Amino acid sequence: MSADSDSTFLRNFALVIGLLVGVTILLLIVVNTFSGGDDAERQALAQERAERNLAPDYAVRLSGEPAPAVASGEAEAEAQGGVTEVRSGEQVTQAVCIACHQGNFQNAPGIGDQDGWGERIGKGWETLTTHVSEGYGNMPAQGGAATEEEIRAAIEYMIEDETGLEIPES
Ligand code: HEC
């Protein structure tokens, strides 16, 4: 190989390298122009999406704090100018109680679970209703999520209707 063709090769080689470096820099500039500048905004969006994806489909309150008033039939009624719409026991159960009373969450007796409820109903209506609205053991107070009337209807549905058991008056 002659010195001449060596230098030709080197020149072409340097040219190609230079071209590649140029293209790389150009691409970096293009990428930066289209995506740079709004990092904070993009991060906030990604964060929001991640939180939404990680959130469960239902909310469970374990801290004992009352349920948000938004879910309350009473609050809704107030917002609608005092027109009270009482939900049925089944509706309340589906909306509120099912989060724990389906699947034995923290030993919550299941809907229609004869054995589970059998040992509790002896407490009577009054005690059971109070326990639900004010909280009992592992169950946080439900008074914010349903009215007294609705809680009573839900107990009737979950226990009496679904197990055939009968709760004594007190
Ligand atoms: C956050 C979970 C959770 C929700 C929501 C919930 N419960 Fe409970 N519930 C429990 C658990 C846990 C127990 C068992 C408590 C214990 O014995 O420690 C229980 C117990 C009960 C008892 C028996 C109380 C007693 O004195 O033995 C009744 C009745 C009851 N729930 C009704 C309801 C009704 C009606 C609703 C809906 C308005 C409801 N629960 C919503 C978790 C829940």
Side-chain angles (χ1 to χ4, degrees):
M1 213 184 264
S2 71
D4 219 16
S5 67
D6 262 1
S7 74
T8 309
F9 169 78
L10 271 178
R11 209 184 47 237
N12 286 345
F13 187 71
L15 215 73
V16 168
I17 295 286
L19 203 72
L20 284 176
V21 169
V23 167
T24 307
I25 291 172
L26 199 76
L27 282 175
L28 282 176
I29 291 172
V30 168
V31 165
N32 256 336
T33 323
F34 285 108
S35 67
D38 54 352
D39 260 5
E41 201 182 318
R42 271 193 311 151
Q43 253 174 21
L45 267 178
Q47 172 88 12
E48 194 189 309
R49 202 173 321 134
E51 274 167 16
R52 201 168 342 114
N53 287 343
L54 289 172
D57 286 342
Y58 53 87
V60 171
R61 276 161 283 108
L62 295 177
S63 55
E65 66 202 64
V70 221
S72 153
E74 226 163 25
E76 236 169 61
E78 241 167 63
Q80 289 166 7
V83 184
T84 313
E85 197 196 311
V86 180
R87 292 171 292 180
S88 75
E90 186 173 357
Q91 283 172 325
V92 175
T93 303
Q94 296 295 339
V96 183
C97 324
I98 205 163
C100 305
H101 285 278
Q102 188 178 59
N104 223 230
F105 179 76
Q106 302 232 321
N107 280 337
I111 298 159
D113 169 6
Q114 274 206 358
D115 293 341
W117 290 115
E119 56 196 53
R120 289 180 191 260
I121 56 168
K123 297 175 185 179
W125 269 112
E126 207 177 313
T127 309
L128 291 178
T129 322
T130 310
H131 282 176
V132 177
S133 69
E134 292 175 8
Y136 173 77
N138 288 328
M139 173 168 58
Q142 302 301 313
T147 63
E148 184 105 337
E149 195 181 347
E150 289 176 328
I151 285 174
R152 207 184 148 99
I155 295 176
E156 189 177 341
Y157 168 74
M158 249 199 308
I159 307 178
E160 289 194 330
D161 294 356
E162 294 293 310
T163 63
L165 296 167
E166 215 170 285
I167 303 169
E169 207 36 60
S170 65

